[in-house]
Amino acid sequence: MGSWAPRKRAFLGNAKFDPSLTFAGQAANRMSLTILTVPGLGSSGPEHWQTRWEQHYGYRRVEQREWDSPVCSKWVAALEAAVTAAGPAVVLVGHSLACATIAHWASTTRCPIRGALLVAPADVDRPDFPSEATGFAPMPLNELPFPSIVVASTDDAYATWERAEQFARAWGSRLVNVGALGHINSASGLGLWPAGHRLLQELLG
């Protein structure tokens, strides 16, 4: 186990994120931020920290037409549409399969974003990966063109710690070890997950 810290890259835009402000309150900034949550397979239920963040902080969810039998190209297209609609001052907060979606999207998009928090990236190359998800393998291992943090657990059933390290190094992401929190999902019992939100604030500087 360990951590990985990439070289620092400049953020796109010059907005400053203050969690105590509403989006209206951020109008004093030259460019306000839009935080988009990007759930994984099956979406995120009412007890998931992504849902809690949406309810508490007003973040918006990237909706997919098919949550249970996802096709990578369709998920990437939906993400592209959401980012395009939101504008350049976007931060993505992905969980599980959404991390692979974001990596695929990043390899083709021309849309600039401020950064991405990538939580519990699921290893789409595993032989036991859910067969209902198609087109996500192989996992893209190109450096992401925006700042990012990979958050990983030591006992995630969907990706080993070693694979999380590999993803972070390939993507140029900072890697954060949160210990034994499983898949960092509803079953992890994180509630609003304030520690995760602090990482989002750190990503935004």
Side-chain angles (χ1 to χ4, degrees):
M1 293 184 290
S3 61
W4 168 254
R7 65 183 183 276
K8 292 185 178 180
R9 286 167 289 179
F11 287 110
L12 297 169
N14 50 19
K16 294 295 184 181
F17 177 71
D18 184 343
S20 68
L21 298 179
T22 63
F23 287 116
Q26 294 172 14
N29 294 325
R30 292 176 63 187
M31 186 183 297
S32 62
L33 293 174
T34 299
I35 312 294
L36 296 178
T37 63
V38 193
L41 182 65
S43 193
S44 294
E47 300 304 315
H48 197 286
W49 55 269
Q50 283 185 316
T51 304
R52 297 289 186 89
W53 285 12
E54 292 160 9
Q55 295 169 345
H56 189 80
Y57 299 111
Y59 301 159
R60 301 207 306 261
R61 177 172 298 196
V62 175
E63 293 289 352
Q64 302 288 352
R65 291 187 177 182
E66 180 52 73
W67 286 110
D68 297 323
S69 299
V71 176
C72 183
S73 60
K74 293 181 179 180
W75 274 32
V76 167
L79 178 56
E80 175 77 0
V83 171
T84 299
V90 170
V91 179
L92 301 177
V93 180
H95 177 256
S96 189
L97 186 59
C99 299
T101 304
I102 291 169
H104 279 285
W105 169 80
S107 68
T108 60
T109 189
R110 293 186 178 182
C111 295
I113 65 170
R114 286 284 306 275
L117 185 68
L118 304 169
V119 181
D123 186 354
V124 297
D125 298 316
R126 289 169 61 114
D128 60 347
F129 192 76
S131 60
E132 58 266 31
T134 59
F136 292 89
M139 177 72 86
L141 296 176
N142 304 316
E143 184 173 3
L144 299 176
F146 43 78
S148 58
I149 297 176
V150 169
V151 184
S153 167
T154 56
D155 62 347
D156 190 338
Y158 293 95
T160 65
W161 173 257
E162 289 73 23
R163 281 291 275 171
E165 286 186 312
Q166 182 183 8
F167 298 153
R169 287 182 181 274
W171 295 339
S173 308
R174 172 187 166 194
L175 177 62
V176 175
N177 181 348
V178 294
L181 287 181
H183 197 42
I184 317 179
N185 56 7
S186 300
S188 303
L190 299 171
L192 195 57
W193 195 31
H197 200 257
R198 285 194 293 272
L199 291 174
L200 177 60
Q201 295 173 53
E202 291 174 17
L203 173 66
L204 300 176

